């Protein structure tokens, strides 16, 4: 499979090149040059397959030209060392719990898969360390750190917005004496993401180091996220005892999840439509409502992993619809919720459904309740374990979590201005690698 850049100003590349580069040299994002369609027969007994079996079929269609089947099977099995249960909350609404991985958020899936793909392709013989950059709005940092922890030949640099994370999230990538280096950026998540992109555009730097990105700009973070859309559909069909009209609701920030869902649909997943949930950072839902895409400066909310004002995967979504905004708007409906509304949903869900939803999943649950039509069955992605956002969840439900919240090791954490130059100094500072 070849991959092209959404900016179309550079040549197509192989899977290995796309993964190891992260961002295309012209600043665009990589996309598969054609999207394989899974034969209809696959869906006849998908309800009887487990997530590893499903993931293998999907991965093999996308990556089978470039990676041996046994290796794909192994990478898939090592990725899913945990379950992804579908839980029925109401007559027609289900929660797909994506938070049973080691860092308690869905990002474990993409990060674990990507870490294994990079190890697979990385050539230790070159003697150069692979430097992995990741900008985090909260949960990517921990998932990527966990996926790459003490992998030989790899250094991970985690850029996070000053003051934008919970102590729990920060603790997950502040690991003493490890190959993980946290960096605090005086700015927002969008600034972190911009710095990563600018650093990739620095040709001198790329010539000197092997640099890649572990954000959803990396195509191999994104592809594995398709697996659980197929799996969620399969579990729902199984639970309903047969075919039905399925609507999937996605809590959206940088749009990695939504892009993966749409890719799954293009591969043949029989989903009727998608619902797109935002917090007050409503760039995507606003776009779907008005047809106009206006990036904004992100503000902080209780669903902080969705505090994104300029989602980078929007360019991939445009590709998937050939830029046809009207078709996008027919297939996806957008909603946005304030902190008050999110807390209220968590509280109501606890009371009426006897279920604890986290602030991110709460937006998607609410959007589904607001949008589901009679005769449809809906599932929403529950993207994080509620204990990760204990403060808001306790506020909404009174429920306390006995798990002690780790405060994190005291790890040297440089604080830099929101510029690529400041990051460059750190990438080449000898002191950090003591
Ligand atoms: C990252 C994250 C999101 C947003 O996902 P995107 O793929 O960036 O749109 C939603 N919920 C949680 C818990 C997250 O960590």
């Amino acid at each position: 499979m070849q991959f092209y850049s959404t900016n179309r100003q550079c040549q197509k590349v192989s899977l290995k090149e796309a993964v190891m580069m992260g961002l295309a040299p012209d600043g665009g994002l990589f996309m598969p040059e054609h999207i394989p369609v899974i034969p209809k027969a696959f869906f006849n007994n998908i309800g009887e397959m487990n997530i590893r079996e499903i993931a293998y079929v999907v991965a093999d269609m996308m990556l089978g030209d470039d990676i041996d089947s046994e290796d794909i099977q192994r990478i898939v099995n090592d990725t899913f060392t945990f379950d992804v249960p579908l839980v029925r909350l109401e007559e027609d609404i289900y929660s797909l719990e994506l938070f049973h991985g080691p860092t308690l958020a869905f990002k474990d899936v993409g990060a674990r898969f990507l870490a294994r793909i990079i190890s697979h392709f990385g050539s230790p013989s070159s003697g150069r360390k692979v430097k992995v950059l990741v900008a985090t709005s909260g949960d990517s940092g921990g998932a990527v750190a966990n996926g790459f922890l003490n992998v030989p030949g790899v250094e991970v640099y985690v850029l996070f917005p000053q003051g934008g994370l919970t102590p729990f999230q920060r603790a997950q990538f502040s690991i003493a004496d490890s190959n993980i280096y946290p960096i605090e950026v005086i700015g927002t998540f969008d600034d972190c993401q911009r710095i990563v992109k600018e650093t990739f555009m620095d040709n001198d730097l790329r010539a000197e180091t092997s640099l890649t990105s572990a954000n959803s700009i990396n195509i191999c973070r994104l592809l594995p996220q398709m697996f659980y859309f197929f799996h969620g559909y399969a579990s729902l069909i199984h639970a309903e005892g047969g075919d039905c009209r399925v609507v999937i609701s996605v809590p959206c920030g940088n749009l990695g999840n939504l892009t993966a869902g749409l890719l799954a649909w293009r591969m043949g997943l029989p989903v009727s439509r998608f619902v797109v949930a935002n917090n007050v950072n409503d760039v995507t839902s606003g776009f779907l409502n008005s047809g106009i895409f206006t990036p904004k400066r992100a503000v902080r909310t209780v669903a902080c992993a969705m505090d994104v004002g300029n989602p980078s995967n929007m360019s991939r979504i445009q590709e998937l619809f050939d830029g046809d905004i009207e078709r996008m708007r027919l297939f996806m409906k957008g909603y946005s919720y304030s902190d008050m509304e999110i807390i209220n949903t968590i509280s109501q869900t606890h009371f009426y459904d006897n279920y604890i939803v986290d602030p991110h999943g709460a937006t998607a649950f609410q959007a589904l309740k607001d949008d589901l039509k009679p005769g449809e069955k809906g599932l929403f992605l529950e993207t994080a374990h509620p204990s990760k956002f204990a403060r808001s969840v306790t506020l909404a439900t009174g429920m306390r979590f006995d798990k002690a919240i780790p405060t994190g090791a005291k790890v040297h954490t440089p604080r830099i201005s929101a510029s690529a130059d400041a990051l460059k100094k750190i990438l080449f500072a000898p002191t950090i690698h003591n």
Side-chain angles (χ1 to χ4, degrees):
M1 173 81 75
Q2 299 264 82
F3 293 82
Y4 71 93
S5 163
T6 51
N7 282 356
R8 294 190 168 74
Q9 299 296 312
C10 59
Q11 291 186 339
K12 289 181 188 159
V13 300
S14 67
L15 174 68
K16 178 176 174 178
E17 289 169 312
V19 172
M20 299 315 268
M21 283 196 245
L23 189 72
D26 62 2
L29 305 190
F30 286 117
M31 283 290 279
E33 73 165 346
H34 80 104
I35 299 172
V37 175
I38 302 181
K40 283 238 162 27
F42 171 73
F43 294 98
N44 292 345
N45 70 335
I46 192 173
E48 310 308 318
M49 294 169 77
N50 70 39
I51 193 164
R52 288 176 205 85
E53 292 164 339
I54 292 172
Y56 171 74
V57 173
V58 177
D60 197 47
M61 291 206 72
M62 271 289 183
L63 313 176
D65 294 345
D66 299 86
I67 304 179
D68 287 345
S69 297
E70 301 90 84
D71 288 328
I72 292 180
Q73 187 75 71
R74 180 179 47 79
I75 291 169
V76 160
N77 290 350
D78 290 351
T79 299
F80 289 106
T81 49
F82 48 89
D83 288 332
V84 180
L86 184 77
V87 178
R88 184 180 221 144
L89 298 197
E90 295 183 358
E91 179 64 24
D92 298 322
I93 297 188
Y94 296 78
S95 164
L96 184 64
E97 295 186 345
L98 297 169
F99 56 70
H100 295 276
T103 71
L104 310 181
F106 78 90
K107 293 195 172 74
D108 279 322
V109 174
R112 291 172 71 80
F113 189 87
L114 175 64
R116 280 154 184 84
I117 295 276
I118 288 183
S119 303
H120 175 85
F121 283 137
S123 65
S125 56
S126 73
R128 285 206 310 203
K129 293 217 168 192
V130 179
K131 292 181 202 264
V132 176
L133 300 188
V134 56
T136 184
S137 59
D139 293 321
S140 278
V144 169
N146 190 282
F148 284 97
L149 187 60
N150 298 329
V151 172
V154 178
E155 290 174 351
V156 178
Y157 296 85
V158 182
L159 281 75
F160 64 96
Q162 182 181 30
L165 273 60
T166 69
F168 190 159
Q169 290 176 320
R170 227 179 122 152
Q172 286 186 318
F173 55 78
S174 299
I175 305 164
D177 301 321
S178 72
N179 58 337
I180 316 294
Y181 304 106
I183 300 171
E184 186 166 11
V185 174
I186 304 170
T188 63
F189 168 73
D190 296 293
D191 292 316
C192 298
Q193 181 156 266
R194 174 179 52 77
I195 296 174
V196 169
K197 282 191 181 168
E198 283 172 12
T199 305
F200 276 103
M201 304 290 285
D202 183 332
N203 288 331
D204 297 344
L205 198 120
R206 285 183 88 158
E208 281 174 56
T209 49
S210 302
L211 209 57
T212 190
S213 152
N215 278 101
S216 53
I217 59 177
N218 195 310
I219 189 76
C220 269
R221 250 285 296 273
L222 207 59
L223 296 179
Q225 292 181 202
M226 286 192 296
F227 305 155
Y228 50 71
F229 282 90
F230 287 96
H231 162 74
Y233 172 85
S235 306
L236 201 160
I237 294 297
H238 185 84
E240 291 289 333
D243 217 6
C244 48
R245 280 166 56 208
V246 178
V247 178
I248 300 183
S249 179
V250 183
C252 288
N254 207 27
L255 299 177
N257 250 337
L258 184 63
T259 306
L262 291 169
L263 265 169
W265 161 67
R266 289 282 308 271
M267 283 184 81
L269 182 72
V271 54
S272 294
R273 56 199 183 83
F274 284 90
V275 174
V276 169
N278 278 151
N279 56 31
V280 290
N281 296 292
D282 60 352
V283 220
T284 307
S285 54
F287 165 67
L288 291 171
N289 288 322
S290 70
I292 302 163
F293 181 64
T294 327
K296 297 191 218 175
R297 190 177 168 82
V299 299
R300 282 173 63 183
T301 74
V302 293
C304 56
M306 290 157 51
D307 294 348
V308 181
N310 188 8
S312 60
N313 283 297
M314 183 53 95
S315 61
R316 284 191 169 120
I317 293 180
Q318 301 263 14
E319 289 290 311
L320 290 169
F321 286 87
D322 297 324
D324 185 339
I325 294 175
E326 288 319 308
R327 255 179 69 223
M328 292 169 78
R329 296 176 66 193
L330 282 175
F331 196 60
M332 298 182 281
K333 188 93 183 286
Y335 291 85
S336 132
Y337 300 99
S338 68
D339 278 4
M340 282 279 276
E341 289 170 315
I342 293 170
I343 296 291
N344 192 39
T345 298
I346 300 173
S347 175
Q348 301 268 320
T349 308
H350 179 221
F351 190 80
Y352 290 108
D353 304 299
N354 196 22
Y355 186 79
I356 307 283
V357 69
D358 97 290
H360 305 79
T363 64
F365 182 31
Q366 190 61 49
L368 204 47
K369 283 161 84 87
D370 290 344
D371 197 65
L372 203 68
K373 312 282 180 299
E376 291 177 331
K377 301 287 174 185
L379 75 82
F380 68 94
L381 305 189
E382 172 49 317
T383 45
H385 192 283
S387 67
K388 260 194 132 163
F389 302 94
R391 260 189 69 182
S392 319
V393 175
T394 302
L395 175 72
T397 63
M399 151 138 187
R400 294 189 178 277
F401 298 89
D402 19 296
K403 228 187 288 154
I405 293 178
T407 48
K410 280 259 172 294
V411 172
H412 172 63
T413 307
R415 181 181 299 160
I416 64 170
S417 60
S419 80
D421 276 342
L423 175 62
K424 200 168 165 180
K425 288 206 185 86
I426 295 203
L427 290 177
F428 288 104
T431 48
I432 196 168
H433 311 287
N434 49 18

